[in-house]
Amino acid sequence: MTQTPFVEIRHAQKSYGTLEVLRDVNLTVNRGEIVAIIGPSGSGKSTLLRAINDLDPLSAGEVLLEGVQVNKTLPPRAYEAHINEMRQHIGMVFQHFNLFPHLTVRQNVTMAPKLLKRLGEAEANRLAEEQLAHVGMLERIDYYPSQLSGGQKQRVAIARALAMKPKLMLFDEATSALDPELVEEVNQVMKRLAEEHMTMIIVTHEMDFAASVCDRVIFMDGGVVVEEGPPSVVFRTPTQERTRNFLRKYL
Ligand code: ADP
Ligand code: MG
C-alpha cells in the first residue's frame, strides 16, 4: 500500500525577476516527521518554507498537504476561502516573533481562533490558557509583548500558532534573533512538540539542535536540495563537497 505523503513539494521553482531562487525542489515529509533545513544565507530556505502555505507563491510546481494542493489556481474568492482553510492547518513561527504589539499575550493568542474558527470568548480563552501553559507563559497572559524577553515572545508566538491546532508547524530560524541565553527555552518548547509527534519543518543554523531533535536533515544551496538524510549521516559523513564546506564552518 502506498501512503500519501503528509507534505509533498513537487518540482518547486521560484524566480524573482531573473534570479532563480528555487530550482526544481522536491521534498516529502511524513506525518510526525521532524525535518531540518540547513544551508547558507540566500540558498532559498525561507522562500521554500513560505511557499508551503503559499505566502510566497511558487513560479511553478506544487505543494500538497495530505494530498490536497495548497497552491491551487482558483478565482480570487474561491482561492481566498481555500487558502484560509489550508493555512489553519499550517502554523508558522518566524525569526522576529511578529506578535501584535498593541495586543496582550491573551489577545494575540485568541485572535485567530476567534476570527477564523469563530470560537466564543470563553472557549478562546480556555484554549489560550492551555497553550500558554504548554509553553510556560501562562503567568504572562495579560502582559504586552514589549514587557517580554525575546525568548518569552517566541514562546508566545509558538502558543499562538498552536492555538489553531495545526497539523504542521513551520519554523524559520525561530531562535536566530535571540540572545544566546534565551535560545534554550525556545528549543525546549520545540523539543516537547517533537516528543508529541508534531510534524515540523525547521529552518535552523543550530546543528546540535538539528542533530538531537530532527529525523532528517536537508541541505540546500543555490536553490536546490544538495543532500539529505538522517542527521547522523549528513553531519558525520556528508557525500557532497558543498555540504562539507558548509558544515566545516560549524565545527
Ligand atoms: P535563505 O532563507 O536561505 O537565506 P531566502 O529564501 O530568504 O534565503 O532568499 C533566497 C534568495 O532570494 C536570496 O538571494 C534573496 O535575496 C532572494 N529574495 C528573497 N525574497 C525576495 C524578494 N521578495 N524579492 C527579490 N528577491 C528575493
Ligand atoms: Mg531565511
Side-chain angles (χ1 to χ4, degrees), residues 54-95:
D54 213 28
L55 276 176
D56 252 342
L58 293 173
S59 307
E62 293 173 5
V63 178
L64 297 100
L65 179 65
E66 294 184 301
V68 179
Q69 190 176 351
V70 178
N71 61 337
K72 259 188 209 165
T73 304
L74 291 167
R77 296 270 301 268
Y79 171 79
E80 201 175 317
H82 164 74
I83 202 68
N84 282 343
E85 158 74 18
M86 297 306 292
R87 284 182 185 155
Q88 293 194 23
H89 303 306
I90 306 173
M92 189 156 186
V93 177
F94 303 89
Q95 188 175 345

Short mmCIF file of all heavy atoms in Angstrom, two decimals, residues 54-95:
data_model
loop_
_atom_site.label_atom_id
_atom_site.label_comp_id
_atom_site.label_asym_id
_atom_site.label_seq_id
_atom_site.Cartn_x
_atom_site.Cartn_y
_atom_site.Cartn_z
N ASP A 54 1.87 29.09 0.78
CA ASP A 54 1.59 29.99 -0.36
C ASP A 54 1.72 31.47 0.01
O ASP A 54 1.15 32.33 -0.65
CB ASP A 54 0.20 29.71 -0.95
CG ASP A 54 0.16 29.94 -2.47
OD1 ASP A 54 1.22 29.79 -3.12
OD2 ASP A 54 -0.91 30.28 -3.00
N LEU A 55 2.52 31.77 1.05
CA LEU A 55 2.82 33.18 1.36
C LEU A 55 3.73 33.76 0.29
O LEU A 55 3.67 34.95 -0.02
CB LEU A 55 3.54 33.28 2.72
CG LEU A 55 2.69 33.31 3.98
CD1 LEU A 55 3.58 33.32 5.20
CD2 LEU A 55 1.75 34.50 3.99
N ASP A 56 4.61 32.92 -0.23
CA ASP A 56 5.48 33.26 -1.36
C ASP A 56 5.11 32.29 -2.47
O ASP A 56 5.67 31.21 -2.55
CB ASP A 56 6.95 33.00 -0.99
CG ASP A 56 7.74 34.27 -0.78
OD1 ASP A 56 7.28 35.33 -1.23
OD2 ASP A 56 8.81 34.18 -0.15
N PRO A 57 4.15 32.64 -3.31
CA PRO A 57 3.70 31.65 -4.31
C PRO A 57 4.84 31.21 -5.23
O PRO A 57 5.68 32.01 -5.62
CB PRO A 57 2.63 32.41 -5.09
CG PRO A 57 2.17 33.49 -4.16
CD PRO A 57 3.39 33.89 -3.37
N LEU A 58 4.86 29.92 -5.52
CA LEU A 58 5.86 29.37 -6.43
C LEU A 58 5.62 29.88 -7.85
O LEU A 58 4.49 30.20 -8.21
CB LEU A 58 5.77 27.84 -6.44
CG LEU A 58 6.17 27.12 -5.16
CD1 LEU A 58 5.87 25.62 -5.27
CD2 LEU A 58 7.65 27.35 -4.84
N SER A 59 6.70 29.95 -8.64
CA SER A 59 6.56 30.26 -10.06
C SER A 59 6.05 29.03 -10.81
O SER A 59 5.33 29.14 -11.80
CB SER A 59 7.89 30.71 -10.65
OG SER A 59 8.45 31.75 -9.88
N ALA A 60 6.46 27.86 -10.34
CA ALA A 60 5.98 26.60 -10.91
C ALA A 60 6.13 25.53 -9.85
O ALA A 60 6.97 25.63 -8.95
CB ALA A 60 6.78 26.23 -12.16
N GLY A 61 5.32 24.49 -9.96
CA GLY A 61 5.40 23.39 -9.02
C GLY A 61 4.21 23.35 -8.09
O GLY A 61 3.36 24.23 -8.12
N GLU A 62 4.17 22.31 -7.28
CA GLU A 62 3.00 22.07 -6.43
C GLU A 62 3.40 21.80 -4.99
O GLU A 62 4.42 21.19 -4.73
CB GLU A 62 2.25 20.83 -6.92
CG GLU A 62 1.62 20.99 -8.27
CD GLU A 62 1.04 19.68 -8.78
OE1 GLU A 62 1.05 18.68 -8.02
OE2 GLU A 62 0.58 19.67 -9.92
N VAL A 63 2.55 22.27 -4.09
CA VAL A 63 2.67 21.92 -2.68
C VAL A 63 1.39 21.21 -2.28
O VAL A 63 0.29 21.73 -2.53
CB VAL A 63 2.84 23.18 -1.80
CG1 VAL A 63 2.91 22.81 -0.33
CG2 VAL A 63 4.08 23.97 -2.21
N LEU A 64 1.53 20.03 -1.70
CA LEU A 64 0.35 19.29 -1.26
C LEU A 64 0.43 18.98 0.22
O LEU A 64 1.50 18.64 0.73
CB LEU A 64 0.22 17.97 -2.03
CG LEU A 64 0.02 18.11 -3.54
CD1 LEU A 64 1.33 17.89 -4.26
CD2 LEU A 64 -1.02 17.12 -4.04
N LEU A 65 -0.70 19.15 0.90
CA LEU A 65 -0.80 18.78 2.30
C LEU A 65 -1.84 17.68 2.38
O LEU A 65 -3.01 17.90 2.02
CB LEU A 65 -1.21 19.99 3.14
CG LEU A 65 -1.40 19.76 4.64
CD1 LEU A 65 -0.09 19.37 5.31
CD2 LEU A 65 -1.97 21.00 5.30
N GLU A 66 -1.43 16.52 2.81
CA GLU A 66 -2.30 15.34 2.84
C GLU A 66 -3.01 15.14 1.50
O GLU A 66 -4.20 14.87 1.44
CB GLU A 66 -3.33 15.45 3.96
CG GLU A 66 -2.67 15.41 5.34
CD GLU A 66 -3.70 15.44 6.46
OE1 GLU A 66 -4.49 16.41 6.51
OE2 GLU A 66 -3.72 14.50 7.26
N GLY A 67 -2.26 15.33 0.43
CA GLY A 67 -2.79 15.09 -0.90
C GLY A 67 -3.60 16.23 -1.49
O GLY A 67 -4.00 16.17 -2.65
N VAL A 68 -3.84 17.28 -0.69
CA VAL A 68 -4.62 18.43 -1.20
C VAL A 68 -3.66 19.52 -1.63
O VAL A 68 -2.76 19.91 -0.86
CB VAL A 68 -5.57 18.99 -0.11
CG1 VAL A 68 -6.34 20.20 -0.64
CG2 VAL A 68 -6.51 17.90 0.38
N GLN A 69 -3.81 19.99 -2.84
CA GLN A 69 -2.90 21.02 -3.33
C GLN A 69 -3.16 22.35 -2.61
O GLN A 69 -4.29 22.86 -2.62
CB GLN A 69 -3.04 21.20 -4.85
CG GLN A 69 -1.93 22.09 -5.40
CD GLN A 69 -1.95 22.22 -6.89
OE1 GLN A 69 -2.70 21.51 -7.58
NE2 GLN A 69 -1.16 23.12 -7.42
N VAL A 70 -2.12 22.88 -2.00
CA VAL A 70 -2.24 24.15 -1.27
C VAL A 70 -2.27 25.32 -2.26
O VAL A 70 -3.11 26.21 -2.18
CB VAL A 70 -1.06 24.33 -0.28
CG1 VAL A 70 -1.15 25.67 0.43
CG2 VAL A 70 -1.01 23.19 0.73
N ASN A 71 -1.32 25.31 -3.21
CA ASN A 71 -1.17 26.45 -4.13
C ASN A 71 -2.01 26.27 -5.39
O ASN A 71 -1.53 26.37 -6.51
CB ASN A 71 0.31 26.66 -4.49
CG ASN A 71 0.93 25.46 -5.18
OD1 ASN A 71 0.46 24.33 -5.04
ND2 ASN A 71 1.99 25.69 -5.94
N LYS A 72 -3.30 26.02 -5.16
CA LYS A 72 -4.23 25.84 -6.28
C LYS A 72 -4.47 27.15 -7.01
O LYS A 72 -4.52 28.21 -6.39
CB LYS A 72 -5.59 25.40 -5.72
CG LYS A 72 -5.88 23.93 -5.84
CD LYS A 72 -7.33 23.69 -5.43
CE LYS A 72 -7.47 22.30 -4.84
NZ LYS A 72 -8.72 22.14 -4.11
N THR A 73 -4.66 27.05 -8.31
CA THR A 73 -5.08 28.21 -9.07
C THR A 73 -6.61 28.23 -9.09
O THR A 73 -7.24 27.31 -9.59
CB THR A 73 -4.54 28.14 -10.52
OG1 THR A 73 -3.13 27.99 -10.45
CG2 THR A 73 -4.88 29.40 -11.29
N LEU A 74 -7.17 29.29 -8.50
CA LEU A 74 -8.62 29.39 -8.38
C LEU A 74 -9.01 30.85 -8.60
O LEU A 74 -8.17 31.74 -8.44
CB LEU A 74 -9.06 28.99 -6.96
CG LEU A 74 -8.92 27.52 -6.53
CD1 LEU A 74 -9.09 27.39 -5.03
CD2 LEU A 74 -9.93 26.65 -7.27
N PRO A 75 -10.27 31.13 -8.90
CA PRO A 75 -10.72 32.52 -8.95
C PRO A 75 -10.53 33.14 -7.56
O PRO A 75 -10.56 32.41 -6.55
CB PRO A 75 -12.21 32.40 -9.28
CG PRO A 75 -12.41 31.03 -9.80
CD PRO A 75 -11.33 30.16 -9.23
N PRO A 76 -10.33 34.47 -7.48
CA PRO A 76 -9.94 35.11 -6.23
C PRO A 76 -10.76 34.72 -4.99
O PRO A 76 -10.19 34.37 -3.95
CB PRO A 76 -10.10 36.61 -6.54
CG PRO A 76 -9.90 36.70 -8.01
CD PRO A 76 -10.40 35.42 -8.60
N ARG A 77 -12.07 34.75 -5.07
CA ARG A 77 -12.90 34.44 -3.90
C ARG A 77 -12.70 32.99 -3.46
O ARG A 77 -12.58 32.70 -2.27
CB ARG A 77 -14.40 34.67 -4.21
CG ARG A 77 -14.77 36.10 -4.50
CD ARG A 77 -15.15 36.88 -3.26
NE ARG A 77 -16.27 36.33 -2.51
CZ ARG A 77 -17.54 36.68 -2.70
NH1 ARG A 77 -17.86 37.55 -3.64
NH2 ARG A 77 -18.49 36.16 -1.94
N ALA A 78 -12.68 32.10 -4.43
CA ALA A 78 -12.51 30.68 -4.13
C ALA A 78 -11.12 30.41 -3.57
O ALA A 78 -10.95 29.62 -2.64
CB ALA A 78 -12.76 29.84 -5.37
N TYR A 79 -10.11 31.10 -4.14
CA TYR A 79 -8.75 30.93 -3.64
C TYR A 79 -8.67 31.38 -2.18
O TYR A 79 -8.07 30.70 -1.35
CB TYR A 79 -7.74 31.73 -4.48
CG TYR A 79 -6.37 31.74 -3.84
CD1 TYR A 79 -5.53 30.63 -3.95
CD2 TYR A 79 -5.95 32.83 -3.09
CE1 TYR A 79 -4.29 30.62 -3.33
CE2 TYR A 79 -4.71 32.82 -2.47
CZ TYR A 79 -3.88 31.73 -2.59
OH TYR A 79 -2.67 31.70 -1.97
N GLU A 80 -9.28 32.50 -1.87
CA GLU A 80 -9.21 33.03 -0.51
C GLU A 80 -9.81 32.05 0.50
O GLU A 80 -9.23 31.79 1.56
CB GLU A 80 -9.95 34.37 -0.45
CG GLU A 80 -9.52 35.23 0.71
CD GLU A 80 -10.18 36.59 0.68
OE1 GLU A 80 -10.26 37.18 -0.43
OE2 GLU A 80 -10.63 37.03 1.74
N ALA A 81 -10.96 31.50 0.15
CA ALA A 81 -11.59 30.51 1.04
C ALA A 81 -10.69 29.28 1.19
O ALA A 81 -10.49 28.77 2.30
CB ALA A 81 -12.95 30.12 0.47
N HIS A 82 -10.14 28.85 0.07
CA HIS A 82 -9.28 27.66 0.07
C HIS A 82 -8.02 27.89 0.91
O HIS A 82 -7.68 27.08 1.78
CB HIS A 82 -8.91 27.30 -1.37
CG HIS A 82 -7.76 26.35 -1.49
ND1 HIS A 82 -7.88 25.01 -1.19
CD2 HIS A 82 -6.47 26.55 -1.86
CE1 HIS A 82 -6.70 24.43 -1.38
NE2 HIS A 82 -5.83 25.33 -1.78
N ILE A 83 -7.35 29.02 0.69
CA ILE A 83 -6.07 29.23 1.37
C ILE A 83 -6.28 29.49 2.87
O ILE A 83 -5.48 29.07 3.71
CB ILE A 83 -5.22 30.33 0.67
CG1 ILE A 83 -3.75 30.15 1.03
CG2 ILE A 83 -5.70 31.73 1.00
CD1 ILE A 83 -3.09 28.92 0.49
N ASN A 84 -7.38 30.17 3.22
CA ASN A 84 -7.69 30.36 4.64
C ASN A 84 -7.87 29.02 5.34
O ASN A 84 -7.38 28.83 6.45
CB ASN A 84 -8.95 31.20 4.82
CG ASN A 84 -8.67 32.67 4.60
OD1 ASN A 84 -7.51 33.10 4.63
ND2 ASN A 84 -9.71 33.45 4.36
N GLU A 85 -8.54 28.12 4.67
CA GLU A 85 -8.75 26.78 5.22
C GLU A 85 -7.40 26.05 5.37
O GLU A 85 -7.09 25.50 6.42
CB GLU A 85 -9.71 26.02 4.29
CG GLU A 85 -9.67 24.51 4.36
CD GLU A 85 -10.31 23.94 5.62
OE1 GLU A 85 -11.07 24.68 6.26
OE2 GLU A 85 -10.01 22.77 5.95
N MET A 86 -6.59 26.09 4.31
CA MET A 86 -5.31 25.38 4.34
C MET A 86 -4.38 25.96 5.42
O MET A 86 -3.71 25.22 6.14
CB MET A 86 -4.60 25.45 2.98
CG MET A 86 -5.31 24.79 1.82
SD MET A 86 -5.78 23.05 2.08
CE MET A 86 -4.21 22.25 2.12
N ARG A 87 -4.36 27.28 5.51
CA ARG A 87 -3.43 27.92 6.46
C ARG A 87 -3.81 27.64 7.91
O ARG A 87 -2.97 27.75 8.80
CB ARG A 87 -3.37 29.43 6.20
CG ARG A 87 -2.53 29.74 4.97
CD ARG A 87 -2.41 31.22 4.71
NE ARG A 87 -1.71 31.46 3.46
CZ ARG A 87 -1.83 32.56 2.72
NH1 ARG A 87 -2.65 33.53 3.11
NH2 ARG A 87 -1.15 32.68 1.60
N GLN A 88 -5.05 27.29 8.15
CA GLN A 88 -5.44 26.91 9.51
C GLN A 88 -4.70 25.66 9.97
O GLN A 88 -4.55 25.42 11.16
CB GLN A 88 -6.94 26.68 9.59
CG GLN A 88 -7.72 27.96 9.39
CD GLN A 88 -9.18 27.83 9.81
OE1 GLN A 88 -9.53 26.99 10.62
NE2 GLN A 88 -10.02 28.68 9.25
N HIS A 89 -4.28 24.87 9.00
CA HIS A 89 -3.60 23.61 9.34
C HIS A 89 -2.09 23.78 9.45
O HIS A 89 -1.39 22.85 9.79
CB HIS A 89 -3.89 22.55 8.27
CG HIS A 89 -5.35 22.28 8.07
ND1 HIS A 89 -6.17 21.93 9.11
CD2 HIS A 89 -6.13 22.32 6.97
CE1 HIS A 89 -7.39 21.76 8.65
NE2 HIS A 89 -7.40 22.00 7.35
N ILE A 90 -1.60 24.96 9.09
CA ILE A 90 -0.15 25.16 9.00
C ILE A 90 0.25 26.32 9.91
O ILE A 90 -0.02 27.48 9.61
CB ILE A 90 0.26 25.47 7.53
CG1 ILE A 90 -0.27 24.38 6.58
CG2 ILE A 90 1.78 25.60 7.44
CD1 ILE A 90 -0.06 24.68 5.10
N GLY A 91 0.91 26.01 11.01
CA GLY A 91 1.38 27.05 11.92
C GLY A 91 2.76 27.50 11.50
O GLY A 91 3.56 26.70 11.02
N MET A 92 3.02 28.79 11.67
CA MET A 92 4.34 29.28 11.25
C MET A 92 4.92 30.19 12.31
O MET A 92 4.22 31.04 12.86
CB MET A 92 4.21 30.01 9.91
CG MET A 92 5.54 30.34 9.32
SD MET A 92 5.43 30.55 7.54
CE MET A 92 7.16 30.74 7.16
N VAL A 93 6.20 30.01 12.59
CA VAL A 93 6.90 30.85 13.56
C VAL A 93 8.13 31.43 12.88
O VAL A 93 8.93 30.70 12.28
CB VAL A 93 7.30 30.03 14.81
CG1 VAL A 93 8.10 30.88 15.78
CG2 VAL A 93 6.06 29.46 15.50
N PHE A 94 8.25 32.74 12.95
CA PHE A 94 9.31 33.45 12.24
C PHE A 94 10.43 33.85 13.20
O PHE A 94 10.28 33.79 14.41
CB PHE A 94 8.76 34.73 11.60
CG PHE A 94 7.61 34.51 10.65
CD1 PHE A 94 6.30 34.49 11.10
CD2 PHE A 94 7.84 34.33 9.29
CE1 PHE A 94 5.24 34.31 10.23
CE2 PHE A 94 6.80 34.14 8.42
CZ PHE A 94 5.49 34.13 8.89
N GLN A 95 11.49 34.35 12.60
CA GLN A 95 12.63 34.82 13.38
C GLN A 95 12.24 35.98 14.30
O GLN A 95 12.69 36.07 15.43
CB GLN A 95 13.71 35.26 12.39
CG GLN A 95 15.02 35.60 13.01
CD GLN A 95 16.06 35.89 11.92
OE1 GLN A 95 15.87 35.57 10.75
NE2 GLN A 95 17.14 36.50 12.31
#
